[in-house]
Amino acid sequence: MIEVRHTSGLGLAELAAARALLFAVFDDMTDADWEHALGGLHALAWDGPDLVGHASVVQRRLLHGGRALRAGYVEAVGVRPGRQRQGYGAAMMAELERVIGAAYDLGALGATDEGAAFYRSRGWQPWRGPSSALTPDGIRPTPDDDGAIFVLPGAVPLNLDAPLTCDWRDGDVW
Ligand SMILES: CC(C)(COP(=O)(O)OP(=O)(O)OC[C@H]1O[C@@H](n2cnc3c(N)ncnc32)[C@H](O)[C@@H]1OP(=O)(O)O)[C@@H](O)C(=O)NCCC(=O)NCCS
């Protein structure tokens, strides 16, 4: 069963379960990564009382082609080890993609190598142009993230070979 709830609608126990799940899925998970997943809509995958998957979408601004696009930015997508490749990830993403299509100019995310194949299979497209971040010191290139940023185009035309700049935040910017 997939539940879609805003952060404000989750209890402390559910938030703790989601955080623990993500720390179990990702070796390099940080508190900043968890913070990035808050303040939007969460898709929670349940097997009875057990939380087996989490994904969320939060709003960010992406600068592209002279506009500040309203992006539904997907964060903290993880399915519990031992429960992967059973359809939970696809079911969570289908819910978030519906939200993105209805509420945002585009979807965007930063993918792991494993995640990249998963998102490609769902129609997400790799950004080919140079990435950067709008830091407190101005726009700074983020070459380490080039090739790992995926978008789900919506109504706004995108040039995937042009620059794409994300807004600022603590931790990993993409
Ligand atoms: C990536 C992840 C979220 C996918 O969730 P999942 O529940 O395992 O995936 P699903 O069962 O819904 O897969 C649906 C389809 O996506 C594709 N897919 C999923 N994982 C894939 C992978 N590792 N490699 C290639 N294709 C993949 C396949 O087409 C798959 O269909 P199939 O199993 O019939 O071949 C999950 O495997 C995971 O948590 N991995 C570790 C954490 C991670 O890398 N998260 C992504 C962060 S960006």
Side-chain angles (χ1 to χ4, degrees):
M1 197 239 321
I2 308 295
E3 259 189 321
V4 179
R5 308 242 297 272
H6 192 264
T7 306
S8 63
L10 296 177
L12 289 179
E14 287 165 316
L15 284 169
R19 184 179 180 283
L21 168 74
L22 292 163
F23 273 85
V25 171
F26 296 100
D27 293 339
D28 57 352
M29 183 80 192
T30 66
D31 284 326
D33 294 333
W34 169 240
E35 195 275 335
H36 295 163
L38 302 177
L41 285 175
H42 302 252
L44 303 171
W46 296 95
D47 180 11
D50 299 328
L51 184 67
V52 294
H54 173 277
S56 58
V57 61
V58 299
Q59 180 175 314
R60 299 187 71 183
R61 291 286 167 181
L62 297 184
L63 308 185
H64 174 63
R67 293 184 59 185
L69 301 176
R70 186 173 67 251
Y73 201 81
V74 172
E75 287 286 353
V77 182
V79 174
R80 191 176 292 288
R83 306 305 300 269
Q84 297 175 2
R85 300 303 280 263
Q86 297 174 26
Y88 290 112
M92 294 190 299
M93 285 302 296
E95 292 291 339
L96 298 189
E97 288 159 1
R98 180 183 56 76
V99 169
I100 288 166
Y104 298 97
D105 292 329
L106 77 165
L109 57 81
T112 61
D113 290 346
E114 184 181 348
F118 171 63
Y119 299 118
R120 274 179 195 275
S121 78
R122 306 192 56 75
W124 289 69
Q125 298 175 36
W127 195 268
R128 297 184 296 261
S131 66
S132 56
L134 182 55
T135 79
D137 302 317
I139 293 180
R140 295 283 180 267
T142 51
D144 290 353
D145 295 293
D146 285 347
I149 298 161
F150 281 71
V151 295
L152 188 65
V156 174
L158 302 174
N159 175 0
L160 272 56
D161 295 305
L164 186 67
T165 304
C166 65
D167 58 17
W168 180 240
R169 64 184 188 183
D170 291 338
D172 290 339
V173 287
W174 284 102

